[in-house]
Amino acid sequence: MTTVVAGKYKIVLFGSQRTPKYHIVLRNIKKCLEKLDLDLEIEEVDLRKNPERALRDGVLTTPTLDIVGLNWRFIGVPTVDELAEVLAGLTKRREEGE
Amino acid sequence: MSGRRKTRRPNSLLEELRRRAKAFEGEAAEERLTDRTPTGIKGFDELVQGGLIKGETYIVSGVSGAGKSIFSLEYLYRGASRFGEPGLYVTFEETMQSLLRNGKNFGWDLVGLMKEKKLMIADFTMMTVGEHALSLNPESFNLDGLYVTLETAVSELGIKRVVLDPVSVLFLQYPNIGVIRRELNIISSMLRRNGCTSLFVTETGNDPNRITRFGVEEYLANGVIVLYWEAENDKRSRYIEVFKMRGTAHYAGRRRISITGDGISVIY
C-alpha cells in the first residue's frame, strides 16, 4: 500500500530545468519514491524563472534538494540509495502514527 | 604527406583578430579602457590613480578585525551616496542587521539608501550556519543560486558595485576548491560584462607568504588589496597595501589607516 505523506513534509528541488543534472535529480527522486512506495509532494523551483527563491530559501548552489519537515538538504546529485536512506524515515514515522 | 587539412580561408583568423582590435579604436573606447570607479574612501583613490578600473574584480584580504567589511561597506555607501552608483552587498557571514548597525555607527544612512533602491543587501547567512542536515556531492554542483541573484540584481536594479563577503566561506562550506574557483570566475565574468566593479572579500591565511587563505582567490581578480591589523608594543595599528593592481601605477608598500567616526582614512 502506498504511504501518502501530506502536510508538513514535501520535497523542494531548486535548479534550472535547462540543465541535465536537474533532470537526473528529479528522476532519482521519482525512482526513490517508487522504491519506497511513498506519495510525497514535489515542488520544482526553476531559479532562472524565480530568482527571488534563491535568497528566500538560502540556496546558493544547484541542484539543491530540500526535504521539508525533515530539515534535510542535498547539494549536488544524490543517488537513489542516498535519497532512500533519508526518506525511509518518513515511512517509519508514518508507521509509528505521527 | 601531412594529414592536416588545408584551411579554406587562410586569412579568416587574421580578419577576426582585426575586427576585435577595432572595438578598441577611437576616443570612446580608449576612455573605456582607463575608466575608473572611485571608492570614495579617504586617501585610497590617490594610491591607485583615482580609483579601481571600472568593471573589474578585486580581492580585499586581511586578518579578522583588519577592517575588510568596513572597507567594502564604505565602498558601496560612497558609491551610492556620492557617485550615484547602486550597490549590492552579498553577505555569507555577518547578518544584515549587523551590517546596518555598523553603518549606523559611522552615520551612514544605509536604510535610506535601501529605500531608494541604491543599496541592496542579500543576506545568505542562513545558508552557512548549518540549519539543515547536509548531504553534499562535491563533484556535481554549481553556484547558480548566487549567480541568478547577482544577475537579477544587476539587470533589474542597475547595480554597478558588488561586494561578496567573504568568498572564503564558500571554499570552506563546499569543499571543492576547483569548482568554487571555476564558479567565481563565471560570476566575475558576468559582473564584468555588466560593467560592475566588484570586491571579493577573503581572509589572510596563517602562512605569512600567502596573501589569501586558500592561495587561489587572487587569481580571480584584477587586483589585491591587503588590510593588516598588527600588534605593536602595547597597541594595535591598521595598515593597507595595494598588493597587485593590473593596469594601474600604484603605491608599492603599506600605508597606515585609521577608522574614524565617519569611515576609513589612509594616513599620509
Side-chain angles (χ1 to χ4, degrees):
Chain A
M1 191 189 89
T2 302
T3 306
V4 180
V5 185
K8 65 176 186 176
Y9 300 106
K10 74 171 176 180
I11 291 173
V12 188
L13 173 58
F14 300 92
S16 167
Q17 287 168 353
R18 286 186 303 183
T19 63
K21 280 177 190 163
Y22 180 92
H23 294 283
I24 296 170
V25 178
L26 190 60
R27 188 194 63 200
N28 287 355
I29 293 167
K30 287 177 178 169
K31 274 188 186 171
C32 174
L33 293 179
E34 200 180 310
K35 181 177 169 184
L36 296 174
D37 206 13
L38 270 175
D39 182 5
L40 189 61
E41 183 193 344
I42 304 169
E43 182 188 0
E44 293 182 55
V45 181
D46 188 333
L47 291 177
R48 298 269 159 188
K49 292 176 187 160
N50 304 285
E52 75 288 351
R53 289 294 298 271
L55 192 54
R56 193 188 303 163
D57 295 270
V59 177
L60 288 170
T61 54
T62 65
T64 285
L65 186 155
D66 278 353
I67 301 172
V68 178
L70 288 181
N71 218 21
W72 204 287
R73 172 165 283 187
F74 286 94
I75 289 171
V77 180
T79 63
V80 176
D81 288 340
E82 283 167 342
L83 286 167
E85 205 174 308
V86 175
L87 286 171
L90 286 180
T91 319
K92 202 174 165 215
R93 284 174 193 222
R94 184 75 180 170
E95 282 161 4
E96 287 166 357
E98 190 188 317
Chain B
M1 190 181 129
S2 165
R4 190 171 289 179
R5 276 190 198 171
K6 196 177 174 186
T7 314
R8 216 154 60 94
R9 291 181 57 209
N11 289 326
S12 59
L13 177 63
L14 197 60
E15 280 165 22
E16 177 59 20
L17 290 170
R18 280 189 184 140
R19 193 185 68 76
R20 288 183 180 212
K22 256 190 183 315
F24 296 96
E25 285 173 10
E27 259 179 54
E30 206 164 293
E31 253 175 50
R32 270 204 316 276
L33 285 178
T34 52
D35 220 358
R36 299 272 161 180
T37 296
T39 62
I41 293 167
K42 273 183 212 155
F44 179 77
D45 295 327
E46 288 83 340
L47 296 178
V48 290
Q49 290 189 293
L52 308 172
I53 294 178
K54 203 175 275 293
E56 295 293 348
T57 297
Y58 296 88
I59 291 290
V60 176
S61 75
V63 294
S64 174
K68 303 180 295 293
S69 295
I70 295 171
F71 183 93
S72 306
L73 194 59
E74 184 167 0
Y75 165 67
L76 294 192
Y77 169 70
R78 302 287 174 207
S81 61
R82 194 189 295 172
F83 302 108
E85 293 196 340
L88 168 66
Y89 199 112
V90 181
T91 175
F92 305 116
E93 210 162 62
E94 204 171 343
T95 61
M96 185 195 289
Q97 194 181 6
S98 171
L99 288 170
L100 294 178
R101 193 186 305 123
N102 291 345
K104 201 171 183 334
N105 287 339
F106 291 112
W108 304 336
D109 183 13
L110 302 180
V111 175
L113 289 173
M114 286 168 79
K115 278 185 194 159
E116 293 172 36
K117 293 183 181 168
K118 289 180 179 169
L119 177 69
M120 183 178 158
I121 298 176
D123 185 341
F124 275 105
T125 53
M126 66 180 278
M127 183 48 229
T128 51
V129 294
E131 277 193 351
H132 299 83
L134 198 66
S135 300
L136 169 72
N137 182 340
E139 304 302 325
S140 60
F141 71 92
N142 59 45
L143 284 178
D144 244 16
L146 179 59
Y147 185 96
V148 296
T149 303
L150 290 166
E151 194 183 40
T152 308
V154 165
S155 61
E156 289 183 10
L157 298 171
I159 296 291
K160 288 293 166 206
R161 298 181 181 215
V162 169
V163 170
L164 301 187
D165 182 16
V167 291
S168 38
V169 159
L170 302 175
F171 286 99
L172 285 172
Q173 180 91 8
Y174 308 108
N176 188 328
I177 287 180
V179 169
I180 295 297
R181 185 177 164 179
R182 179 198 69 201
E183 292 295 304
L184 287 175
N185 249 325
I186 291 170
I187 285 171
S188 177
S189 300
M190 181 272 289
L191 293 171
R192 188 183 302 121
R193 275 199 308 279
N194 285 284
C196 290
T197 313
S198 313
L199 303 182
F200 288 5
V201 180
T202 189
E203 287 112 23
T204 313
N206 293 327
D207 181 348
N209 296 316
R210 273 190 178 183
I211 50 166
T212 56
R213 182 160 179 181
F214 295 93
V216 296
E217 299 96 311
E218 55 265 47
Y219 300 106
L220 297 164
N222 200 53
V224 181
I225 300 157
V226 186
L227 292 159
Y228 302 90
W229 177 223
E230 289 185 353
E232 291 167 351
N233 301 321
D234 290 338
K235 60 176 192 170
R236 283 188 174 272
S237 300
R238 290 188 170 88
Y239 296 90
I240 195 164
E241 179 180 11
V242 179
F243 187 85
K244 155 186 153 182
M245 197 149 292
R246 285 188 195 129
T248 302
H250 60 86
Y251 176 79
R254 302 192 321 174
R255 284 277 186 190
R256 199 163 178 159
I257 58 168
S258 67
I259 298 179
T260 59
D262 65 346
I264 291 178
S265 293
V266 179
I267 299 168
Y268 287 91

